[in-house]
């Protein structure tokens, strides 16, 4: 009996190889789910861990939204993307604990949309926890293979401000869950290895970057935030005004951060880049400009990663 025909993606015309990580370590990925968040929009949060490793031979597929949707239907999928992160490695024993970065994707995005940057951070000794926001994502898949389908309930309350509060709740809930993992309250392979008592670093692209800023202003367990071209759709209600914030954005989103300047935020750094919005993620490799000029896309993504690494090292 023949197997199901694999899904062919628009960009499968030529095998796409993402850039190798900048750091000296191999990168392994594994996945966990949180418990359910109760409330009006009951949900659990999938977490994909990118972490430094000294082993790994089985490469992780690039699980974009189309991949996840087809996989949930039982279809054999291949989007032709080489990721340079692996599924069969163990956490490097070089250090007792590793600093943690929580990554939030953009609106209608997915957990692996910034795989190149997550690899860069992990290969330099960070544990990156890329979370899937069930409401507002392109696709969210859990470890049992089920996919979250956002109900079309006609709820008019899901404005960007309301959705932002929901995403901030997701981020803070993941911090709660990481603390339980660190303390061994939940069986996992990172128990005792997560350096979260010194604070968690937040990173996001687009709406995920916006909500990373919203969270760092309210949750004292978050020590800094990096926003990659996210406009500030949320209402700013800062509880803490001493956290370092780095914004890398195009000129259109530069003005949006005047909200932080108006409240006299002291530790705000903004750098402008003339890139298209989704070129602040792996989209730089899928864009027409990126595919035509691979050297340019590598140079830009390396510069961005080095700016993030420099900022994190000072926090």
């Amino acid at each position: 009996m023949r197997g199901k025909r694999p899904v062919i993606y628009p960009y499968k015309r030529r095998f796409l190889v993402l850039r190798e990580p900048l750091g000296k370590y191999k990168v392994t990925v594994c996945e966990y789910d949180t418990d359910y968040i109760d409330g009006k929009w009951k949900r659990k949060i999938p977490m994909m861990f990118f972490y430094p490793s000294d082993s790994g031979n089985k490469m992780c597929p690039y699980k974009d939204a189309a991949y996840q949707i087809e996989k949930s239907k039982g279809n054999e999928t291949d989007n032709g993307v080489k990721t340079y992160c692996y599924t069969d490695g163990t956490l490097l024993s070089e250090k007792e604990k590793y600093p943690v970065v929580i990554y939030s994707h953009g609106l209608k995005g997915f957990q692996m949309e910034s795989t190149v940057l997550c690899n860069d951070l992990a290969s330099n000794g960070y544990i990156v926890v890329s979370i899937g926001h069930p409401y507002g994502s392109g696709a969210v898949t859990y470890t049992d293979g089920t996919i979250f389908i956002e109900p079309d309930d006609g709820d008019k309350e899901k404005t960007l401000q309301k959705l932002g509060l929901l995403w901030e709740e997701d981020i803070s809930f993941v911090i709660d869950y990481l603390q339980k993992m660190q303390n061994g309250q939940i069986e996992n392979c990172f128990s005792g290895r997560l350096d979260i008592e010194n604070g968690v670093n937040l990173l996001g692209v687009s709406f995920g970057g916006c909500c990373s800023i919203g969270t760092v202003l309210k949750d004292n367990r978050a020590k800094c935030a990096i926003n990659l071209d996210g406009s500030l759709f949320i209402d700013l209600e800062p509880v803490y005004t001493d956290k370092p914030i780095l914004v890398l954005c195009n000129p259109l989103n530069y003005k949006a951060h005047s909200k932080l300047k108006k409240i006299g935020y002291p530790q705000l750094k903004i750098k402008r880049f003339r890139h298209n919005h989704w070129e602040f993620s792996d989209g730089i490799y899928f864009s027409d400009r990126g595919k035509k000029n691979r050297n340019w896309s590598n140079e830009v993504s390396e510069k961005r990663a080095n700016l993030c690494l420099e900022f994190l090292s000072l926090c």
Side-chain angles (χ1 to χ4, degrees):
M1 180 178 177
R2 289 186 177 181
K4 293 185 178 180
R5 185 176 179 179
V7 177
I8 304 299
Y9 292 74
Y11 47 83
K12 181 65 185 294
R13 294 175 186 171
R14 196 170 73 178
F15 192 79
L16 181 64
V17 180
L18 299 178
R19 174 175 58 74
E20 291 189 60
L22 290 177
K24 62 181 180 179
Y25 306 123
K26 268 192 168 183
V27 178
T28 292
V29 297
C30 69
E31 299 176 70
Y32 290 91
D33 301 330
T34 68
D35 297 327
Y36 277 99
I37 303 176
D38 291 322
K40 182 176 180 180
W41 293 310
K42 187 175 181 179
R43 65 212 185 274
K44 57 182 179 178
I45 312 299
M47 303 176 293
M48 177 175 283
F49 288 72
F50 294 75
Y51 56 91
S53 176
D54 55 5
S55 59
N57 295 300
K58 186 178 180 181
M59 191 164 289
C60 181
Y62 194 71
K63 300 179 182 181
D64 58 10
Y67 177 99
Q68 293 179 61
I69 291 168
E70 292 301 324
K71 195 76 173 176
S72 71
K73 297 176 183 177
N75 293 330
E76 185 181 334
T77 63
D78 178 12
N79 54 23
V81 182
K82 186 175 182 179
T83 64
Y84 284 108
C85 50
Y86 302 86
T87 61
D88 56 346
T90 56
L91 180 61
L92 197 70
S93 59
E94 188 172 295
K95 295 181 181 179
E96 182 181 353
K97 294 181 180 179
Y98 292 89
V100 175
V101 178
I102 295 178
Y103 174 84
S104 290
H105 57 71
L107 197 62
K108 298 302 178 183
F110 54 96
Q111 287 171 272
M112 293 190 78
E113 71 183 13
S114 290
T115 291
V116 172
L117 179 56
C118 291
N119 277 350
D120 286 336
L121 299 183
S123 68
N124 276 281
Y126 289 87
I127 293 178
V128 182
V129 186
S130 179
I131 65 177
H133 296 280
Y135 289 94
S137 72
V140 161
T141 303
Y142 297 112
T143 52
D144 63 2
T146 59
I147 192 167
F148 179 88
I149 304 298
E150 185 172 349
D152 185 12
D153 53 12
D155 195 331
K156 301 301 183 184
E157 291 185 21
K158 290 181 192 153
T159 61
L160 286 177
Q161 286 78 12
K162 295 277 180 139
L163 189 62
L165 292 174
L166 203 67
W167 281 31
E168 289 172 18
E169 185 180 37
D170 290 346
I171 296 169
S172 290
F173 190 81
V174 167
I175 298 176
D176 291 337
Y177 204 79
L178 291 175
Q179 288 178 324
K180 293 178 181 178
M181 294 178 74
Q182 165 66 8
N183 295 335
Q185 296 171 255
I186 299 162
E187 186 176 350
N188 70 95
C189 65
F190 299 103
S191 179
R193 308 294 303 280
L194 303 172
D195 183 7
I196 55 179
E197 58 268 18
N198 293 316
V200 175
N201 309 283
L202 304 185
L203 164 65
V205 66
S206 191
F207 196 61
C210 166
C211 295
S212 294
I213 287 181
T215 306
V216 82
L217 296 178
K218 300 173 186 176
D219 193 327
N220 200 33
R221 300 169 300 175
K223 66 177 180 178
C224 69
I226 300 174
N227 178 1
L228 302 181
D229 207 40
S231 189
L232 289 185
F233 296 105
I234 56 175
D235 293 326
L236 294 180
E237 299 176 356
V239 177
Y240 304 100
T241 57
D242 59 343
K243 310 288 189 67
I245 294 176
L246 173 65
V247 179
L248 307 181
C249 64
N250 65 40
L252 291 175
N253 276 327
Y254 179 81
K255 292 181 179 179
H257 295 85
S258 61
K259 292 181 180 180
L260 286 169
K261 290 185 176 181
K262 284 180 180 178
I263 63 174
Y265 202 88
Q267 296 205 61
L268 173 65
K269 295 181 181 179
I270 304 179
K271 292 185 179 292
R272 284 179 281 190
F273 295 85
R274 294 192 177 278
H275 306 150
N276 295 329
H277 185 55
W278 288 113
E279 288 177 345
F280 284 83
S281 66
D282 289 342
I284 196 168
Y285 288 96
F286 299 103
S287 68
D288 289 338
R289 178 165 54 164
K291 287 188 287 187
K292 289 177 182 177
N293 190 342
R294 179 59 183 262
N295 289 335
W296 171 82
S297 56
N298 283 342
E299 181 181 336
V300 170
S301 68
E302 287 176 13
K303 181 178 180 180
R304 184 162 56 228
N306 283 320
L307 285 171
C308 292
L309 286 165
E310 180 184 8
F311 174 78
L312 291 171
S313 70
L314 297 174
C315 293

